[in-house]
Amino acid sequence: MTALTLSTAAVPGLRADAIVVGVAKGGKGPVVAPGAEAVDQAYDGKLADVLATLGASGAEGEVTKLPAPAGFKAPVVVAVGLGALPKKDEAFGAESLRRAAGVAARTLAGAKKAAFALPIEDAADAGAIAEGALLGAYTFDAYKEIGKNAKNGKAPLGEVALLGGKPRDAAFKAAVARATAVSEELNRARDLINTPPNDLNPEAFAAVAQAAAEEHGIQVEVLDVEALEEGGYGGILGVGVGSAAGPRLVKLTYTHEAATKHLAYVGKGITYDSGGISLKPAGHNETMKCDMSGAAAVFAAVVAAARLGLEVNVTGWLALAENMPSGSATRPGDVLRMYSGKTVEVLNTDAEGRLVLADALWAASAEEPDAIVDVATLTGAMVLALGSRTYGIMANDDAFRSAVHEAAEEVGEAAWPMPLPDHLQKGMESPTADIANMGERAGGGLVAGLFLREFVGEGITWAHLDIAGPAFNEGGPFGYTPKGGTGTAVRTLVRLAELTAAGDLG
């Protein structure tokens, strides 16, 4: 993990591989952002002109490298675009700082140390830059040979020194400590998502959760196949029965002695999704190791809450299974008796995520938390609706849905509120069981949300996050988002826990 420090060192004498500065897009060309005054002065106040000559505009994501001025210990200046110049008396937004820091950190892969001289007006800015840098520096190289003679890539940036911060200021130290904890756990979620399914089956995922729980003082309970059978968890068992790797339900419990509120997070953890008997078509299988991204997000959020010592009780439920076709697999037409006692006719075994979530939602409801949030790579329909960078939010309470949306926006995660139209419920009627796991094709993401709502305890506030689009980035990296697993929803869940602890969420 990239190391991070606050520094008050003078830029010219700072020993580093590069100095990172910000440049904004002004009306008449690039504008050097605050924080880079010493660098600009070393260019005789003409750094913007030099950058313009090199073709820089200050657009978001743009990177321009140039030799450092004479007398600097660092050999290179890296100018990273911040996007549009803020209006007079306004500052750069937190997300602009995160993205710029992420781009710079990724660009400097292989370097040992870089000094970031980006705009910092307060502790929140320092936290945003720290988070962006730590997330942007992420690489998944567990299966690659990295080193001098390797051709598979470079090691992540070794150290980030944030210039302009206040190392002895409590607020600055707290902001950086928070960014470090959240980023490290989010990156752990990315590691899990990127791990090949032959190395991360339900049992292996549960073992990772157990180890982290023990390290951070979190209570953990793992229900194996025998315990699931005794408990009547027909949804989780029905999905996992076709695999040689048996399913698991993992319960993580973080408690704080001063807490008065309790949140429950439920994550879909399909460690590999073949579609089961309703086999996915060619071209749709290659990234299905990411179908446990919801469980990874829940796991990371609970551990982050524990590391931050938040005054809120948080329970995480990881519904883990591998969905495989075999002679023992659930068939279309089978009826499962869920943990709630409700029966479900399985019309499509590739609509499996809602089955494991249903059991976990009912288990979470039994504890009567103040709110439940489930997270899942649930439907391709949500990708068609919102694209690959935005997740959908559904809820049984409009105010709570709005609160989740605001939390997502605050931390820089693109999300959008979606409805739960009651008329779509009819499409899930079954002549054989209480409900079918499929309904109308149009509005499929909403149908899935309506199905899940059936398994939330009466009177419990609930939200469903369908992260199918942004959970796994199949394109090129951007901002602080890498190719592959992204860790989407971790920061939203952590922020919800923080708001609840502060009494600002319901």
Side-chain angles (χ1 to χ4, degrees):
M1 184 71 180
T2 301
L4 195 145
T5 58
L6 289 165
S7 176
T8 57
V11 177
L14 187 63
R15 294 187 180 278
D17 295 299
I19 307 294
V20 176
V21 299
V23 55
K25 191 173 183 179
K28 297 182 180 180
V31 177
V32 178
E37 290 83 1
V39 179
D40 189 29
Q41 185 178 359
Y43 284 100
D44 297 325
K46 295 183 179 180
L47 176 55
D49 294 337
V50 174
L51 290 170
T53 301
L54 293 173
S57 67
E60 182 181 304
E62 181 183 77
V63 175
T64 307
K65 295 182 179 181
L66 61 162
F72 273 49
K73 297 292 185 182
V76 177
V77 170
V78 176
V80 61
L82 287 160
L85 187 69
K87 295 178 181 179
K88 188 177 181 180
D89 299 326
E90 291 185 5
F92 289 96
E95 185 62 6
S96 295
L97 297 176
R98 282 192 204 97
R99 291 176 179 175
V103 170
R106 187 174 66 253
T107 299
L108 290 166
K112 293 182 178 180
K113 181 177 180 179
F116 281 48
L118 295 172
I120 294 181
E121 290 197 0
D122 53 26
D125 288 345
I129 294 169
E131 191 175 88
L134 294 175
L135 296 179
Y138 172 83
T139 59
F140 184 70
D141 53 22
Y143 294 82
K144 290 185 175 182
E145 182 183 357
I146 302 296
K148 281 185 178 181
N149 300 318
K151 299 179 180 180
N152 288 320
K154 301 176 181 178
L157 173 62
E159 180 183 348
V160 171
L162 294 189
L163 304 180
K166 300 177 181 179
R168 298 183 180 180
D169 185 280
F172 276 80
K173 289 193 290 185
V176 170
R178 178 194 181 279
T180 300
V182 173
S183 299
E184 286 181 351
E185 295 312 319
L186 192 154
N187 284 338
R188 190 196 323 234
R190 288 172 169 177
D191 281 346
L192 286 167
I193 297 164
N194 289 325
T195 299
N198 58 317
D199 282 344
L200 190 77
N201 60 25
E203 183 180 5
F205 195 146
V208 171
Q210 283 180 299
E214 292 172 5
E215 179 184 355
H216 296 288
I218 299 169
Q219 294 180 336
V220 60
E221 179 182 2
V222 179
L223 301 186
D224 59 13
V225 174
E226 183 178 354
L228 291 170
E229 289 175 342
E230 290 179 0
Y233 290 86
I236 296 175
L237 289 166
V239 173
V241 71
S243 172
R248 298 288 188 274
L249 178 62
V250 179
K251 178 185 177 184
L252 300 168
T253 304
Y254 161 68
T255 57
H256 192 285
E257 61 182 8
T260 59
K261 295 287 187 179
H262 175 201
L263 292 177
Y265 294 154
V266 177
K268 172 188 172 183
I270 305 300
T271 57
Y272 182 76
D273 182 18
S274 69
I277 297 297
S278 305
L279 193 67
K280 292 180 182 293
H284 290 73
N285 293 289
E286 290 78 4
T287 62
M288 282 300 102
K289 64 182 181 180
C290 80
D291 213 19
M292 36 60 67
S293 295
V298 166
F299 163 58
V302 175
V303 177
R307 290 182 59 175
L308 296 172
L310 301 182
E311 290 187 13
V312 58
N313 296 331
V314 184
T315 305
W317 300 83
L318 316 181
L320 309 176
E322 186 177 56
N323 188 24
M324 297 291 284
S326 73
S328 62
T330 294
R331 295 151 294 216
D334 283 354
V335 173
L336 304 177
R337 185 170 294 279
M338 311 297 282
Y339 181 56
S340 68
K342 193 184 296 287
T343 56
V344 176
E345 182 182 11
V346 179
L347 299 180
N348 187 334
T349 64
D350 196 23
E352 85 299 329
R354 64 199 70 182
L355 298 175
V356 300
L357 286 174
D359 276 356
L361 283 168
W362 193 255
S365 296
E367 297 189 340
E368 299 183 344
D370 293 284
I372 298 175
V373 180
D374 77 70
V375 189
T377 48
L378 206 60
T379 64
M382 196 57 59
V383 184
L384 294 176
L386 298 178
S388 62
R389 296 192 183 185
T390 304
Y391 68 77
I393 307 171
M394 285 156 264
N396 61 3
D397 180 274
D398 290 346
F400 188 58
R401 182 182 61 190
S402 296
V404 174
H405 185 209
E406 290 170 7
E409 286 190 323
E410 185 178 348
V411 299
E413 294 193 320
W416 196 251
M418 302 292 284
L420 287 173
D422 288 329
H423 72 270
L424 291 174
Q425 190 81 32
K426 185 174 180 60
M428 290 185 286
E429 292 181 357
S430 166
T432 308
D434 295 320
I435 191 173
N437 77 328
M438 292 292 289
E440 294 183 26
R441 182 178 181 185
L446 312 182
V447 170
L450 287 166
F451 180 91
L452 295 178
R453 190 177 67 177
E454 292 293 304
F455 297 89
V456 177
E458 186 175 354
I460 297 176
T461 301
W462 157 79
H464 161 56
L465 314 184
D466 190 335
I467 61 170
F472 196 85
N473 176 26
E474 296 186 59
F478 58 92
Y480 49 81
T481 301
K483 184 179 178 65
T486 64
T488 291
V490 171
R491 291 180 295 146
T492 298
L493 296 180
V494 172
R495 188 59 187 145
L496 288 173
E498 289 174 327
L499 291 169
T500 302
D504 295 331
L505 189 73

